[in-house]
Amino acid sequence: MEHRVCLVLVFVALITKEAMAAQHVVGGSQGWEESTDFSSWASGQKFKVGDQLVFKYTSGLHSVVELGGESAYKSCGLGTALNSMNTGNDVVKLNKPGTRYFACGTLGHCGQGMKVKITVESGTAPSTPESPSSSSSSSSSPAASSASAMHNYFAAFVLLTALVATSLLYMF
């Protein structure tokens, strides 16, 4: 009986961690496009370990390159890329605290400002994807706000379900 309770609690902890992680659409409603002010967008976000970055863009027109460090980020040194993606809907999991650097791999785009610096904090507190307080060029669309609200409801549902399941195990 005790092993079953422990197993359920471990399962619930894993589900809860995933449910509390946020998905950040890079650039907000504008996505990964040249006209987006990525510095302003990033400054309005809180990134936590376990969150995900989602790069949405027109495949073939843009790409995403993860750079090796700040000097490569400042100089747009694409030759030091750690990873390169080009699907138009690329997802990057933020699996440890620290700073990560991303740029567009299309010639000239990084130099025109199509790059973003992401600082990931440790901890499991809920993140703030698509913050409405960010600048107007990167403000949330109603759909993004709705998705964030649905994410919060889903997390609450998972927690409530876990509590009910644990209670039922103790009763039977």
Side-chain angles (χ1 to χ4, degrees):
M1 175 71 172
E2 286 181 27
H3 292 300
R4 216 173 16 169
V5 170
C6 287
L7 211 69
V8 167
L9 290 176
V10 167
F11 178 71
V12 167
L14 292 172
I15 289 176
T16 302
K17 183 178 177 187
E18 285 300 314
M20 296 304 284
Q23 265 198 346
H24 303 271
V25 177
V26 177
S29 61
Q30 290 181 278
W32 187 239
E33 295 297 328
E34 291 169 278
S35 61
T36 306
D37 182 349
F38 294 105
S39 294
S40 293
W41 172 81
S43 69
Q45 308 291 307
K46 285 197 185 282
F47 304 99
K48 300 278 187 183
V49 171
D51 288 356
Q52 294 179 335
L53 299 177
V54 181
F55 292 86
K56 293 184 181 244
Y57 57 92
T58 303
S59 183
L61 185 58
H62 301 295
S63 66
V64 178
V65 175
E66 183 168 3
L67 302 173
E70 184 147 12
S71 62
Y73 174 76
K74 286 181 176 178
S75 68
C76 291
L78 301 177
T80 63
L82 301 176
N83 190 14
S84 184
M85 299 161 277
N86 59 11
T87 68
N89 191 34
D90 304 316
V91 178
V92 175
K93 186 163 183 172
L94 303 175
N95 52 10
K96 63 183 178 181
T99 304
R100 295 178 72 175
Y101 305 91
F102 299 91
C104 181
T106 302
L107 186 62
H109 289 194
C110 178
Q112 295 171 0
M114 200 169 169
K115 58 185 180 177
V116 66
K117 175 178 166 178
I118 303 292
T119 302
V120 182
E121 300 173 4
S122 59
T124 56
S127 300
T128 56
E130 306 305 323
S131 171
S133 64
S134 57
S135 74
S136 61
S137 68
S138 60
S139 62
S140 299
S141 67
S145 296
S146 176
S148 181
M150 288 302 294
H151 177 81
N152 290 338
Y153 288 127
F154 176 72
F157 173 76
V158 168
L159 288 173
L160 183 61
T161 303
L163 289 173
V164 169
T166 304
S167 299
L168 288 173
L169 279 176
Y170 279 114
M171 291 168 56
F172 299 105

